[in-house]
């Protein structure tokens, strides 16, 4: 139905939307916007079909629909706030209005008759010439691996691959695409904005686990902090952590600045916590190692490089970096025996039988 | 509006694990039977926890892409979907009969039709036969061909074996193959000795697994002696102890599984129109249906 037909169709019931009012008035109709106020016949109402207020109403009420849905709220949010008037919004949309969602840049552009078209790509690829897609389903495969071809088990890890754009999408396809890149983020963001995000804190989420994950509720308090620091901070996950130990005890780890919330510990965190729990059952022991000061710092450099995912960036010949491969090989050649024991110190000295040492491949 | 949610295991390590769920979802999307079709996973996203809230539909059919009834279908999935009133007793199943139950979910205002797993649906027998056809390139088998249906076995739960025997018995009754045997990875009769159980020279071996992975691509081929090292691959068919073994890989990757998913939803009352026929047509299952 054209905008003109839709206006005529809706006139008797009246319209009150984004600054547009249409209502029966005496024997005619009143067409009112912040810029004009006219009393018109039904035929004359058609002539107002190219008013931005009319096309805007038509887009949101006839095309998008879905009042109270996350989809509609997200599309509204993309246009940047309810404070702007329709002509102001149209000005911004003319050349494309972009907002960020995780690592995505989402752009809304004004089309004919108030229609919006949408585009979504990696935020680093804005303005770049990349492969264009139009079917949201293709997003599943595209974002499955990072730029280095490694599988991404956590969709909100900040490792979104580059080099693609979904273009010329309608609102439904846009939201579907975003949801394949960052599943359920729109729904939970929407709940949070409505003030009813149902957060499941660690103790509830851990207590619910069964089978091999049943052990995670034994994770010590301190270790929960470390687990969140390991997995949930912005450098690892773009969701903003809203869960804590329980409703009263917050974790000290920064929640992150993400647009969308994390409402409960995810499966990846729970699986990691299972390992952390068993690791934390071990008692510490005293070992004696000899290291030079530089070697001690080098061990620290290596842990840092692995923890920050920087090993790939350390150049082959950059022997000034402690986590450089040649430096690590040098340290291993010097300090580790044939069984990989640091300083030749066995991990479990009490199990260590001197006579069998040479056959021991552990 | 009505939605279909296919719930699968997924993996943090193996990127291929979710592929069958995606592929079958796409086939059903194409049929147009549902306003929304969504995939959800235990180990990937959207999680079971978060999937229902992503739907606009108020009628939701949830079909587990799992092989047997047990831990996942009776505990994990209902718990994570917040189907608080679910009781496995409501399925009145002895291990292979779970059909569907209608429930509320704790976090959304929707009606949830929770279905039994694809693996125990009768039509899965057709898929196993279809899988055998795909791997051999034949339309018929007759007395010269044997079929081995492979299951995991006891490690997970007793129903895992029941599902295997159930389909082996059904296919034996169809008379499609000269011999039909159920074999297992970790209980007797073992897949390692598969050739001992058949008189027929040709044996088609179909693992009743949802997706290809470690078990179907590494363990089973090595256990049967198709190869010493899965990395070097194996021939189809391969000669082992004077038998020709046609090893198919996981049955769950067969396109016709989409039909089973759809039938699960239809059994639960989803009005799917002529989508079942359309999906069978597309996935090569029209003949299987006719012969059933
Ligand atoms: S639990 Fe942590 S890692 Fe998992 S989604 Fe939430 S914030 Fe991200």
């Amino acid at each position: 139905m054209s905008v003109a037909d839709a206006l005529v169709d809706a006139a008797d019931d009246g319209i009150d939307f984004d600054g547009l009012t249409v209502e029966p008035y005496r024997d005619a109709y009143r067409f009112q916007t912040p810029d004009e106020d006219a009393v018109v016949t039904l035929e004359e109402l058609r002539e107002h079909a190219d008013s931005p207020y009319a096309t805007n109403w038509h887009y949101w009420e006839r095309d998008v629909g879905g009042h109270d849905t996350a989809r509609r709220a997200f599309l509204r949010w993309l246009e940047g706030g309810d404070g702007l008037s329709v002509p102001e919004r149209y000005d911004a949309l003319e050349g494309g209005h972009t907002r960020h969602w995780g690592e995505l840049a989402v752009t809304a552009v004004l089309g004919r008759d108030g229609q919006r078209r949408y585009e979504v790509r990696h935020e680093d690829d804005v303005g770049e010439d990349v492969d264009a897609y139009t079917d949201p389903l293709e997003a599943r495969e595209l974002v499955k691996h990072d730029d280095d071809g490694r599988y991404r088990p956590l969709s909100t890890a900040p490792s979104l691959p580059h080099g693609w754009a979904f273009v010329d999408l309608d609102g439904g396809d846009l939201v579907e695409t975003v949801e394949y890149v960052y599943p359920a983020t729109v729904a939970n963001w929407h709940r949070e904005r409505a003030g009813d995000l149902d957060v499941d804190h660690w103790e509830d989420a851990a207590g619910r686990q069964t089978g091999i994950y049943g052990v995670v509720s034994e994770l010590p308090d301190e270790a929960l902090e470390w687990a969140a620091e390991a997995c949930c901070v912005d450098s690892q996950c773009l969701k903003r952590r809203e869960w804590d130990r329980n409703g009263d005890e917050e974790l000290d780890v920064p929640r992150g600045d993400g647009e969308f919330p994390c409402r409960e510990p995810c499966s990846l965190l729970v699986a990691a916590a299972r390992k952390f729990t068993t690791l934390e059952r071990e008692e510490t022991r005293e070992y004696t190692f000899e290291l030079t000061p530089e070697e001690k710092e080098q061990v620290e450099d290596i842990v840092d490089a692995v923890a920050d995912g920087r090993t790939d960036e350390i150049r082959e010949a950059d022997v000034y970096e402690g986590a450089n491969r040649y430096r690590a090989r040098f340290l291993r050649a010097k300090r580790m025996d044939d069984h990989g024991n640091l300083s030749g110190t066995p991990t479990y000295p009490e199990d260590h039988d001197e006579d069998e040492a040479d056959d021991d491949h552990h | 509006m009505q939605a279909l949610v296919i719930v699968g295991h997924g993996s943090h390590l193996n990127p291929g694990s979710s592929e069958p769920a995606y592929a079958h979802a796409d086939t059903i999307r194409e049929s147009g039977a549902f306003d929304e079709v969504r995939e959800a996973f235990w180990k990937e996203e959207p999680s079971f926890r978060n999937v229902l809230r992503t739907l606009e539909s108020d009628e939701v059919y949830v079909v587990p892409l799992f092989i047997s009834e047990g831990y996942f279908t009776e505990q994990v999935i209902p718990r994570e979907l917040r189907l608080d009133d679910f009781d496995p007793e409501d399925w009145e199943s002895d291990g292979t009969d779970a059909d569907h139950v209608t429930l509320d979910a704790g976090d959304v205002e929707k009606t949830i039709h929770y279905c039994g797993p694809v693996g125990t649906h009768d039509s899965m027998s057709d898929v196993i036969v279809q899988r055998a056809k795909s791997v051999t390139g034949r339309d018929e088998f007759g007395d010269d061909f044997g079929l081995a249906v492979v299951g995991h076995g006891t490690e997970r739960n007793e129903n895992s074996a029941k599902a295997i025997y159930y389909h082996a018995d059904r296919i034996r009754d169809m008379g499609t193959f000269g011999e039909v045997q159920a074999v297992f990875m970790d209980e007797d009769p073992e897949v390692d000795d598969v050739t001992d159980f058949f008189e027929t020279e040709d044996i088609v071996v179909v693992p009743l697994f949802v997706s290809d992975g470690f078990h179907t691509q590494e363990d089973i081929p090595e256990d049967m002696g198709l190869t010493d090292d899965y990395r070097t691959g194996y021939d189809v068919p391969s000669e082992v102890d004077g038998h020709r073994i046609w090893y198919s890989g996981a049955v769950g990757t067969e396109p016709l599984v989409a039909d089973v998913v759809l039938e699960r939803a239809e059994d639960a009352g989803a009005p799917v129109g002529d989508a079942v026929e359309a999906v069978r047509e597309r996935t090569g299952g029209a003949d299987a249906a006719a012969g059933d």
Side-chain angles (χ1 to χ4, degrees), chain B residues 127-197:
Chain B
V127 182
I128 295 169
V129 173
Q130 178 72 17
R131 189 84 194 136
K133 289 179 181 172
S134 305
V135 70
T136 55
R138 303 173 70 93
D139 282 334
E140 284 177 29
F141 297 98
D143 290 345
D144 302 337
F145 268 81
L147 171 72
V149 184
V150 191
H152 196 287
T154 49
E155 189 195 276
R156 300 207 174 157
N157 72 66
E158 54 165 325
N159 288 338
S160 143
K162 280 190 191 163
I164 311 296
Y165 284 115
Y166 183 72
H167 291 297
D169 291 348
R170 279 176 50 86
I171 297 168
R172 190 176 302 113
D173 291 346
M174 291 175 192
T176 314
F177 294 88
E179 297 172 56
V180 180
Q181 278 291 339
V183 296
F184 300 93
M185 290 184 64
D186 55 33
E187 69 179 77
D188 285 334
E190 285 200 359
V191 66
D192 307 42
D193 312 319
V194 66
T195 52
D196 295 352
F197 309 127

Side-chain angles (χ1 to χ4, degrees), chain A residues 224-283:
Chain A
L224 176 61
E225 293 274 358
W226 299 329
E229 182 175 331
C231 305
C232 301
V233 295
D234 278 351
S235 67
Q236 305 303 306
C237 176
L238 298 173
K239 281 188 194 157
R240 171 172 30 82
R241 183 179 51 78
E242 287 301 318
W243 56 267
D244 285 290
R245 184 184 325 287
N246 55 45
D248 300 321
E249 289 173 75
E250 298 192 356
L251 302 186
D252 293 334
V253 179
R255 298 185 182 283
D257 300 320
E259 195 69 57
F260 35 80
C262 171
R263 48 162 301 280
E264 72 173 28
C266 69
S267 74
L268 201 78
L269 183 83
V270 171
R274 174 177 174 237
K275 183 66 184 171
F276 299 149
T277 304
T278 52
L279 292 175
E280 285 303 298
R281 282 179 183 158
E282 279 201 321
E283 296 294 325

Side-chain angles (χ1 to χ4, degrees), chain A residues 140 144 198 200 210 213, chain B residues 26 39 43 49 53 71:
Chain A
R140 292 174 304 194
K144 201 155 204 184
D198 46 344
D200 282 1
T210 52
Y213 298 109
Chain B
D26 287 349
E39 312 87 342
K43 297 286 184 176
R49 280 313 264 179
R53 61 189 59 201
Y71 181 56

Side-chain angles (χ1 to χ4, degrees), chain A residues 139-264:
Chain A
R140 292 174 304 194
E141 273 311 304
L142 278 173
V143 304
K144 201 155 204 184
H145 297 87
D146 67 13
D147 282 330
D148 295 327
R150 278 178 309 206
Y151 174 46
R152 304 175 64 240
L154 181 67
S155 68
T156 44
S159 57
L160 196 65
H162 296 77
W164 47 268
F166 285 80
V167 300
D168 199 25
L169 305 174
D170 64 21
D173 281 354
L174 171 77
V175 175
E176 198 179 336
T177 307
V178 169
E179 280 279 291
Y180 274 126
V181 177
Y182 294 135
T185 55
V186 175
N188 283 323
W189 162 88
H190 179 55
R191 284 189 173 229
E192 185 179 51
R193 289 198 348 151
D196 60 2
L197 183 68
D198 46 344
V199 174
D200 282 1
H201 294 291
W202 171 258
E203 285 175 1
D204 299 329
R208 186 178 87 223
Q209 304 300 320
T210 52
I212 60 170
Y213 298 109
V215 299
V216 299
S217 36
E218 293 166 30
L219 186 71
D221 286 358
E222 234 184 344
L224 176 61
E225 293 274 358
W226 299 329
E229 182 175 331
C231 305
C232 301
V233 295
D234 278 351
S235 67
Q236 305 303 306
C237 176
L238 298 173
K239 281 188 194 157
R240 171 172 30 82
R241 183 179 51 78
E242 287 301 318
W243 56 267
D244 285 290
R245 184 184 325 287
N246 55 45
D248 300 321
E249 289 173 75
E250 298 192 356
L251 302 186
D252 293 334
V253 179
R255 298 185 182 283
D257 300 320
E259 195 69 57
F260 35 80
C262 171
R263 48 162 301 280
E264 72 173 28

Side-chain angles (χ1 to χ4, degrees), chain A residues 6-71:
Chain A
L7 275 177
V8 168
D9 184 55
D12 281 325
D13 290 339
I15 296 172
D16 180 9
F17 183 79
D18 270 2
L20 171 68
T21 309
V22 176
E23 59 192 8
Y25 184 75
R26 298 196 179 148
D27 290 340
Y29 298 88
R30 182 166 186 179
F31 180 92
Q32 190 182 33
T33 71
D35 305 330
E36 67 177 311
D37 191 351
V39 176
V40 295
T41 64
L42 263 192
E43 262 326 291
E44 287 164 346
L45 187 57
R46 295 177 165 278
E47 289 160 22
H48 290 277
D50 57 358
S51 154
Y53 288 93
T55 58
N56 179 67
W57 161 79
H58 186 259
Y59 177 66
W60 289 109
E61 296 299 283
R62 294 300 162 96
D63 287 335
V64 176
H67 284 269
D68 301 328
T69 61
R71 170 176 58 89

